[in-house]
Amino acid sequence: PEVVDRVEFLGLHAWASQFLRLRGKPVRMEPARARTALSLAWAHVGGENGPLADIEPNLEYWADEIDRLIKGRGITDYNDYAALVRTGREGLALRREDQRPLVWKLFEEYERIRCEREVFDANDLITAALAELRQRPLDPPYSMVVVDEVQDVTLMGLRLVGEIAANTPNSLLFVGDGQQQVYPGGWRLSHAGFDVRNRSELLAVNYRNRAAILAYARGIDARNTVDDLDGGTGVTLRDARGVLDGGHVDQWEGPDNQIDAALTTAIRALGAPNGHVAVITRTNTEANRFLRVLKAAGIPIQLLEDYNGSYIDAVKVGTVQRAKGLEFPAVFRPVLPGERPRRRTASQQDTDELAARRQLVAVTRARDYLWLGIVDGALTVLTDRGER
């Protein structure tokens, strides 16, 4: 209590936005307009039937490439991209001589359209804050910065964190788990200038999940080879030691037109307080669907994005990305069919691995009870026993 007025709890983008506004240089992120600019760039470079689509027809893959591996790393020169080791995207190896130039052409066209329309994406906000800080540092800087879920912060975000914190011992604390990474791409902490050799601790005890939930989660093949975020040996969930006994996992399978009723019936049958329950989905579209379902059933609801940790007697509903870092006594996880590719491409390995990691994150939000509702024909989780 004696230091409560000295502590801030903010997401990095919220901090950057607030900082730039105070400096009189506001930057407003417009993700919808940025996405329109990328779609136009895709059309201009022949994305639907062009050579880049021959490599991978899904624009989402290239959107992630630009977002996480190019802009998220602060790359502005093609030679740097050509030499980049694409950590976390090894499923689709891009040849430097003829394929990476195609990606760079898409990136340059996107940037041209974005700048022409004065649109800023999430990376532009981080870049602007970093440039402003390097020109005029904080005075005084923060005495300590703690970064949770560091595995999903971009490299540019990490560099921004480095500028925020004081250049003193123990001014930075990073906490992360590479196996629970929900965004594509990767890096090492040393890439951002942080040397953690002999200064890190591997945590190997699971205090969150009861035995039944932990046993189920261990069967999800979510990159069961992970490092300590800087190339050293890591600890996977499979190797972690659990301390909580008990727990229960229920699984429902059936057609799509029955999962709405199955979900509401299961929530009511559990009999837990609504505030102890979360419904975690793959996409915002799915979240909106189940928000409507629960509301129509008379079950009180709260968006995960509005949840600040305070208890409200309402079922939380939101995506895996929103649930990251949280935990609930009971989690309901609908598994609906995803978008099936027109043909299986080389990038599908990367897509499958990312989907498995997101599934791991979703099910491990549950402490005592996990309900899985699997719709017939859903793209299922990769497990040690193969695809099921």
Side-chain angles (χ1 to χ4, degrees):
E2 63 273 13
V3 296
V4 67
D5 60 335
R6 294 173 53 199
V7 182
E8 296 177 24
F9 292 86
L10 281 173
L12 190 58
H13 289 89
W15 185 91
S17 180
Q18 173 183 283
F19 165 71
L20 289 169
R21 191 166 56 250
L22 292 173
R23 287 283 177 96
K25 300 178 180 180
V27 171
R28 181 186 174 192
M29 291 190 300
E30 297 180 283
R33 294 185 65 203
R35 182 53 193 239
T36 298
L38 181 61
S39 297
L40 287 171
W42 179 247
H44 290 178
V45 301
E48 189 62 30
N49 300 301
L52 202 54
D54 289 337
I55 303 169
E56 169 51 59
N58 189 354
L59 177 56
E60 290 300 324
Y61 186 86
W62 303 118
D64 289 337
E65 186 83 5
I66 291 172
D67 178 46
R68 305 293 296 188
L69 273 76
I70 298 179
K71 297 192 72 169
R73 284 176 168 264
I75 292 176
T76 57
D77 182 90
Y78 171 71
N79 292 324
D80 293 332
Y81 177 61
L84 179 67
V85 177
R86 297 170 61 252
T87 305
R89 308 210 100 187
E90 294 87 352
L92 177 54
L94 295 175
R95 295 190 300 268
R96 291 174 172 84
E97 64 274 13
D98 61 341
Q99 293 181 327
R100 294 201 190 193
L102 298 173
V103 182
W104 195 256
K105 183 178 179 181
L106 174 64
F107 163 64
E108 288 187 319
E109 182 65 5
Y110 166 63
E111 287 294 281
R112 184 191 70 77
I113 296 172
R114 184 189 63 76
C115 292
E116 185 179 84
R117 298 183 174 209
E118 298 183 338
V119 175
F120 298 96
D121 60 29
N123 283 301
D124 298 320
L125 175 62
I126 297 296
T127 300
L130 182 58
E132 174 64 20
L133 272 174
R134 287 175 171 172
Q135 184 175 352
R136 183 156 62 99
L138 289 176
D139 186 21
Y142 287 85
S143 57
M144 186 178 192
V145 178
V146 180
V147 184
D148 194 18
E149 305 290 341
V150 70
Q151 75 276 0
D152 281 314
V153 178
T154 63
L155 199 58
M156 289 295 283
L158 285 175
R159 290 170 180 155
L160 177 61
V161 168
E163 296 290 335
I164 293 172
N167 188 22
T168 57
N170 302 318
S171 61
L172 282 171
L173 173 63
F174 296 134
V175 184
D177 179 355
Q179 199 177 18
Q180 300 209 26
Q181 181 182 349
V182 299
Y183 295 103
W187 39 253
R188 292 184 177 180
L189 287 168
S190 55
H191 294 160
F194 302 119
D195 184 359
V196 297
R197 289 173 298 178
N198 302 316
R199 304 173 66 190
S200 61
E201 186 74 23
L202 290 176
L203 307 180
V205 181
N206 180 301
Y207 293 96
R208 171 183 292 143
N209 311 118
R210 294 199 178 276
I213 288 121
L214 185 57
Y216 180 88
R218 281 173 172 154
I220 299 173
D221 188 18
R223 265 177 70 187
N224 280 311
T225 309
V226 297
D227 63 20
D228 64 351
L229 302 180
D230 207 53
T233 303
V235 177
T236 67
L237 188 67
R238 177 184 294 164
D239 299 322
R241 178 170 61 88
V243 296
L244 299 178
D245 295 330
H248 191 75
V249 177
D250 279 333
Q251 186 164 304
W252 174 92
E253 296 185 33
D256 185 81
N257 63 3
Q258 293 181 15
I259 191 172
D260 296 353
L263 175 67
T264 55
T265 298
I267 289 175
R268 287 192 173 116
L270 182 63
N274 291 318
H276 290 174
V277 175
V279 176
I280 301 177
T281 65
R282 182 176 60 93
T283 65
N284 284 315
T285 299
E286 292 176 7
N288 290 333
R289 168 181 172 172
F290 292 110
L291 280 166
R292 292 192 297 269
V293 167
L294 297 179
K295 185 177 181 180
I299 297 174
I301 51 177
Q302 180 185 23
L303 286 170
L304 261 181
E305 61 190 79
D306 297 332
Y307 176 58
N308 65 4
S310 301
Y311 182 83
I312 295 177
D313 187 36
V315 173
K316 315 298 182 290
V317 183
T319 64
V320 174
Q321 289 87 338
R322 289 289 184 184
K324 189 165 59 95
L326 302 176
E327 64 178 79
F328 305 92
V331 165
F332 290 75
R333 169 67 168 166
V335 182
L336 306 184
E339 178 182 314
R340 293 181 180 273
R342 289 176 297 180
R343 55 184 170 84
R344 187 169 181 85
T345 62
S347 74
Q348 200 61 41
Q349 175 185 325
D350 298 334
T351 302
D352 290 345
E353 289 180 357
L354 184 60
R357 292 199 302 274
R358 288 174 175 171
Q359 178 73 343
L360 182 73
V361 171
V363 302
T364 54
R365 298 313 91 197
R367 187 188 70 201
D368 306 320
Y369 177 80
L370 172 65
W371 181 88
L372 291 149
I374 302 174
V375 168
D376 296 337
L379 294 180
T380 53
V381 183
L382 297 176
T383 71
D384 295 337
R385 295 168 295 282
E387 196 167 321
R388 62 174 179 80

